[in-house]
Amino acid sequence: MPGNPRVLVAGGGIGGLAAALALLRRGCDVEVYEQAAELKEVGAGLQLAANGTRALYALGIGEELKALSCEAESKEIRIWNSGERWKLHDLGKVSVERYGYPYLTVYRPDLLGLLERAVRREKPDAIRLGARCVAFHQTETQVTLSLEGEASVSGDALVGADGVHSRIRQGLFGPDKPEFTGVVAWRGIVPMNALPPHMVRMVGTNWVGPGGHVVHYPLRGGKVMNFVGALERSDWQVESWSARGTNEELASDFAGWHDDVQALIRNIPVPYKWALMVRPPMERWTVGRVTLLGDACHSMVPFLAQGANMAIEDGFILARALTESDADLPTRLVSYEKARLERTRRAVEGSAANIQRFHNRALADPVKAREYVDREWAGAPIAERYEWLFRYDVSTAELD
Ligand SMILES: Cc1cc2nc3c(=O)[nH]c(=O)nc-3n(C[C@H](O)[C@H](O)[C@H](O)COP(=O)(O)OP(=O)(O)OC[C@H]3O[C@@H](n4cnc5c(N)ncnc54)[C@H](O)[C@@H]3O)c2cc1C
């Protein structure tokens, strides 16, 4: 393996493309194999905190990202029925002052398109579409990836960035055992001009209630509002980005919630639903020349808004581990894994802990609800839950 390795990446989602960009910028040869015939993301929003935007700036696409995102001024907590509000974080200028980088909300297809353009600028033919990875085989010196209906390809390393149902993970460690959380997440995109004027604000909002919560924030320069509504119910257990529901079913899940929540629900053109699963954190991701990143190895419920941020961080650290050491390739992959295991485990657990926090039964009673929010969202608990996330710097984080 003269110089930097040739890396095969299975999966061209946010994690796979961020990794490809980081690897190409450090002089690796990279090929991404994506099963879809075209690169497209679901029409949904994504929150990128300072840890994620810091990585994207380090990859040279920060300003382009900022131009197509929204920079929310703040994030607030509201009580599900009364609508009473508290400030959770100052964002906007404060995120930049405190962490050096903005907190952005972005439409997922816009981020994927940006990553795709940046990868193609480094290597025009780096992304192979319509290429479904079905199996792999490794020897002491190389790894071979089999693609459905095509000749197989070989490289020095294989990275499974193929999402929550990862074939590569199954090839390494066998089938996983996801556990249903008892929570269904609804999502949709609301045209901003359909909402009452008082809701047209550049602010992220987290409504908390007994057994459910709702998050909404602006996207695309404030033209649309992203909606996610999570509710405890056990009759739907499909883990999919594309399962449709109806506005009636969504409205009945959130019956009794504040008028502002109802206004969002009424104006979602197509609501989608996703059953949230958890998987216990994995103890290792790497075998020989094959490793994993993103949802393939640490999927999490979306209640810290960090899954994609973590996948982006993974890609950057992987590229550093592969290019900053003279060790043999499997050792470099283990150094990547070691640098990432503990942080991602903490994110998986922190996200799951927010189910109970956001859906607490104390929120059913107006007096207890106020005390509960005062306690849970006071300065010190917030700092403990978020500072370690936002301050992480992919460029200086320690590698073995
Ligand atoms: C409702 C909801 C809201 C969320 N909000 C946030 C948020 O605000 N902030 C945040 O950071 N995260 C958020 N997340 C989490 C985030 O969406 C994921 O963590 C992120 O998409 C993971 O990226 P990935 O690249 O690892 O996987 P994916 O995005 O799943 O990409 C995997 C890619 O691999 C491809 N693939 C799969 N199998 C194969 C195969 N066999 N061969 C070739 N290609 C294959 C797929 O087509 C896909 O393109 C949210 C998640 C949900 C469900």
Side-chain angles (χ1 to χ4, degrees):
M1 188 183 70
N4 287 332
R6 170 174 156 77
V7 184
L8 313 178
V9 178
I14 291 164
L17 291 190
L21 180 58
L23 288 159
L24 286 164
R25 285 174 62 96
R26 284 177 166 257
C28 298
D29 184 21
V30 180
E31 258 174 34
V32 179
Y33 302 92
E34 165 57 45
Q35 64 183 0
E38 57 177 312
L39 276 182
K40 56 175 196 248
E41 256 290 355
V42 286
L46 203 54
Q47 304 178 64
L48 293 173
N51 52 312
T53 57
R54 185 180 291 116
L56 293 168
Y57 270 88
L59 288 173
I61 54 173
E63 286 303 322
E64 259 181 284
L65 171 72
K66 197 170 157 195
L68 48 78
S69 302
C70 266
E71 196 171 0
E73 293 151 18
S74 62
K75 201 185 253 188
E76 57 188 27
I77 297 286
R78 296 187 71 180
I79 290 190
W80 66 291
N81 53 358
S82 67
E84 212 173 330
R85 39 178 120 228
W86 283 255
K87 189 181 281 177
L88 168 57
H89 304 294
D90 277 312
L91 299 171
K93 282 196 199 106
V94 177
S95 173
V96 180
E97 277 161 22
R98 192 169 294 159
Y99 308 111
Y101 291 88
Y103 192 105
L104 300 175
T105 59
V106 63
Y107 190 57
R108 295 177 71 113
D110 290 345
L111 174 60
L112 200 76
L114 173 61
L115 286 166
E116 177 189 1
R117 288 192 298 280
V119 167
R120 291 197 197 278
R121 277 200 295 268
E122 300 290 331
K123 181 179 171 191
D125 58 351
I127 306 170
R128 290 266 313 277
L129 298 173
R132 187 168 161 71
C133 308
V134 286
F136 62 87
H137 169 73
Q138 57 175 319
T139 65
E140 294 248 310
T141 52
Q142 67 165 17
V143 55
T144 304
L145 177 64
S146 307
L147 304 170
E148 194 170 70
E150 291 183 49
S152 50
V153 288
S154 296
D156 299 306
L158 168 64
V159 180
D162 49 346
V164 73
H165 303 294
S166 171
R167 277 297 269 268
I168 307 300
R169 181 187 63 226
Q170 287 169 36
L172 291 177
F173 302 110
D176 66 343
K177 296 187 187 70
E179 204 181 302
F180 179 48
T181 54
V183 178
V184 171
W186 287 93
R187 65 181 175 81
I189 296 282
V190 186
M192 199 67 98
N193 60 14
L195 292 173
H198 72 271
M199 293 186 71
V200 181
R201 299 165 67 220
M202 299 297 269
V203 167
T205 306
N206 189 352
W207 296 80
V208 290
H213 79 282
V214 167
V215 173
H216 59 87
Y217 49 82
L219 295 174
R220 305 200 110 180
K223 287 196 201 66
V224 294
M225 188 77 97
N226 189 64
F227 171 95
V228 176
L231 199 88
E232 290 172 17
R233 50 180 267 200
S234 55
D235 58 333
W236 171 260
Q237 301 196 9
V238 182
E239 194 181 27
S240 154
W241 276 111
S242 54
R244 288 182 177 211
T246 63
N247 294 69
E248 292 69 34
E249 188 188 352
L250 172 54
S252 117
D253 274 358
F254 288 92
W257 286 58
H258 192 271
D259 282 353
D260 288 356
V261 174
Q262 306 304 334
L264 288 158
I265 291 174
R266 256 194 323 276
N267 288 295
I268 294 175
V270 186
Y272 291 88
K273 53 183 178 174
W274 168 305
L276 294 173
M277 305 284 176
V278 278
R279 294 165 174 80
M282 295 170 64
E283 280 166 22
R284 50 193 291 236
W285 308 341
T286 306
V287 177
R289 295 175 170 271
V290 184
T291 195
L292 301 169
L293 67 70
D295 277 10
C297 50
H298 50 67
S299 67
M300 57 191 83
V301 293
F303 303 157
L304 262 185
Q306 280 287 333
N309 285 277
M310 290 290 143
I312 293 165
E313 289 181 7
D314 286 347
F316 199 100
I317 298 289
L318 173 70
R320 281 188 53 208
L322 285 182
T323 55
E324 287 180 9
S325 155
D326 295 329
D328 60 30
L329 192 124
T331 306
R332 294 187 218 178
L333 291 182
V334 168
S335 133
Y336 149 71
E337 176 189 295
K338 277 196 185 156
R340 298 297 300 156
L341 267 178
E342 172 55 21
R343 179 167 169 82
T344 53
R345 183 195 58 74
R346 209 173 154 191
V348 170
E349 291 175 358
S351 314
N354 272 346
I355 299 179
Q356 180 52 24
R357 180 170 293 114
F358 292 173
H359 298 186
N360 202 283
R361 298 290 149 190
L363 294 159
D365 175 283
V367 176
K368 284 195 191 141
R370 218 168 283 136
E371 288 166 7
Y372 178 74
V373 175
D374 278 342
R375 193 171 64 243
E376 284 295 318
W377 282 277
I382 291 179
E384 192 187 324
R385 295 203 292 273
Y386 294 97
E387 285 291 302
W388 69 276
L389 283 167
F390 297 172
R391 291 205 179 275
Y392 182 84
D393 186 342
V394 283
S395 301
T396 56
E398 254 181 61
L399 293 175
D400 262 0

